Amino acid sequence: MDSLESYILRELLMFEGDYISGSALAKKLGISRVAIWQHMENLRAQGYIFEAVRARGYRLISKPDRLDAALVRAYLPLRNRPLTLTILDTVDSTNDEAARELAGGRTAPFVIIAREQTQGRGRLGRQWLSEPNGNLYLSFAFRPKVATHRMPTFTLWMGANLCELIANFCRISPGLKWPNDIYFGGLKAGGMLTEARLDADEIRDLVFGLGLNLHAPAGGWPEPLRALATSLEAQAAAPIDVNKFTAAVIGRMLLAYEKFVEGLPLGVLADMWNRHDILRGQRISASHGGGLVTGTASGIDDEGALLVRTDNGRIERLRAGEVTLSPRNKA
Ligand code: BTN
């Protein structure tokens, strides 16, 4: 997608419902009116509908409601314009594609989005249902200059930022389940998968993958997800503009990444996480390194470890593991 088309769209979106003249567009973008006309034709071919009226100019009548690279780019905050963004119809996994492109030398950061994944993955090798139904499957590729010991906090920090973005954008209240899930009540709406390649004690590159349910699949959630999954639209009880939302997610995630690389002041991560933590105060079991800890979840610390107060009053710090809410919390 020609980025000039994103600039044209940005102008049309600013004037949405009103006319903008071809010559004003041409002047602003420093290209000829004929070039503007050519780009408008390209956009029409991609499903945009414009009204063109002599002496008044162009007016945007309708835009695609599926993921569209020009539209996502047009909605991106100005500071993120240089970012390269690829939208694929289908791919095995956006995390795998991002890793392949990093290995091939593509300049980072960049974002890979797919309308469908044939081998979408979650943590612990689980499958991530990735039908082409307008849900979001995207991966960010980075080459961060940070020490490896900071990595356990990365997904948590990105998750806390994502949670705040979803809350503001959709006017709903998502929760975080340590270490990588977005929840509403007992239902999961999204997950994150961070995969880093390390060189000695340095991070060579890092892929941060994000799967977010915007809608339920057309035929409803298949078993066993029926009782476990939800979508942002179901929670908001309102449609979500996928292109605007995707741009907002990208903008917030890039900002969060920059702050992470600069270094987070002590307390900031734990404060932010603990505000959205759905486990805090709940009885949980956590399996980790072959062992099982049972107790009350008590938030995270600044190193991203989950704190569990056991029945004998000791605080266990879990750096990795799989958490299950105890049945009496679920009732
Ligand atoms: C989890 O809940 O365990 C994490 C799910 C992460 C899914 C996303 S979808 C985009 C990216 N590509 C993948 O294969 N996985 C992540």
Side-chain angles (χ1 to χ4, degrees):
M1 163 59 62
D2 189 328
S3 66
L4 269 178
E5 281 153 28
S6 287
Y7 288 100
I8 293 174
L9 279 176
R10 190 187 292 268
E11 295 298 319
L12 287 160
L13 289 167
M14 274 187 336
F15 277 74
E16 205 166 354
D18 211 342
Y19 293 90
I20 177 164
S21 77
S23 54
L25 274 174
K27 196 166 165 206
K28 192 142 189 191
L29 302 184
I31 57 177
S32 69
R33 284 182 65 179
V34 176
I36 292 285
W37 175 84
Q38 184 57 57
H39 286 299
M40 299 300 277
E41 289 307 302
N42 292 346
L43 286 167
R44 277 190 223 278
Q46 290 158 44
Y48 292 87
I49 302 176
F50 305 104
E51 192 183 14
V53 175
R54 249 184 114 89
R56 295 187 81 180
Y58 297 98
R59 186 164 73 107
L60 183 59
I61 303 283
S62 113
K63 46 191 192 279
D65 53 12
R66 69 176 208 153
L67 262 173
D68 180 273
L71 212 40
V72 172
R73 188 173 288 289
Y75 284 127
L76 271 181
L78 284 183
R79 64 193 296 274
N80 300 134
R81 268 200 212 168
L83 176 86
T84 59
L85 165 74
T86 307
I87 298 188
L88 303 168
D89 264 332
T90 184
V91 74
D92 49 359
S93 149
T94 54
N95 268 32
D96 291 345
E97 178 60 22
R100 285 190 291 266
E101 296 197 18
L102 278 167
R106 181 166 170 184
T107 305
F110 60 88
V111 176
I112 305 282
I113 307 182
R115 299 190 176 95
E116 174 193 43
Q117 297 184 115
T118 53
Q119 289 170 52
R121 291 182 284 111
R123 258 178 99 229
L124 310 170
R126 292 186 186 124
Q127 185 204 2
W128 185 260
L129 184 72
S130 306
E131 294 183 359
N133 65 346
N135 283 339
L136 209 49
Y137 318 114
L138 81 168
S139 298
F140 295 80
F142 298 118
R143 298 187 204 275
K145 296 251 174 303
V146 296
T148 51
H149 74 265
R150 293 191 56 216
M151 279 324 296
T153 56
F154 180 75
T155 310
L156 306 176
W157 171 247
M158 298 300 267
N161 277 274
L162 180 64
C163 214
E164 300 211 329
L165 180 273
I166 293 172
N168 292 335
F169 191 97
C170 308
R171 306 262 159 238
I172 47 182
S173 301
L176 290 162
K177 176 170 176 268
W178 187 86
N180 68 322
D181 293 336
I182 304 286
Y183 265 75
F184 292 86
L187 302 174
K188 180 162 167 171
M192 297 166 278
L193 181 66
T194 302
E195 296 173 309
R197 275 150 291 272
L198 311 178
D199 279 333
D201 57 355
E202 287 236 306
I203 295 167
R204 189 183 341 142
D205 54 47
L206 180 148
V207 174
F208 171 68
L210 188 55
L212 273 176
N213 302 332
L214 264 58
H215 331 271
W221 295 104
E223 291 297 352
L225 297 181
R226 202 173 290 270
L228 304 174
T230 187
S231 69
L232 300 186
E233 284 197 345
Q235 295 299 319
I240 293 170
D241 180 326
V242 65
N243 291 300
K244 224 182 242 181
F245 180 67
T246 303
V249 168
I250 293 174
R252 179 67 185 249
M253 294 295 91
L254 291 178
L255 200 59
Y257 169 76
E258 282 165 21
K259 286 191 184 159
F260 181 84
V261 172
E262 278 165 19
L264 304 176
L266 216 61
V268 168
L269 166 66
D271 281 354
M272 200 160 153
W273 179 274
N274 292 338
R275 276 204 295 278
H276 304 285
D277 183 358
I278 61 163
L279 297 178
R280 202 178 168 86
Q282 307 277 0
R283 265 199 87 70
I284 60 158
S285 298
S287 57
H288 70 112
L292 188 74
V293 176
T294 302
T296 305
S298 306
I300 64 164
D301 66 15
D302 264 307
E303 287 168 14
L306 178 68
L307 306 175
V308 184
R309 188 161 29 80
T310 61
D311 294 339
N312 63 17
R314 261 211 349 260
I315 295 284
E316 294 270 357
R317 295 179 70 247
L318 305 190
R319 301 188 66 95
E322 179 69 355
V323 176
T324 323
L325 277 166
S326 298
R328 72 179 156 97
N329 283 317
K330 291 181 177 168

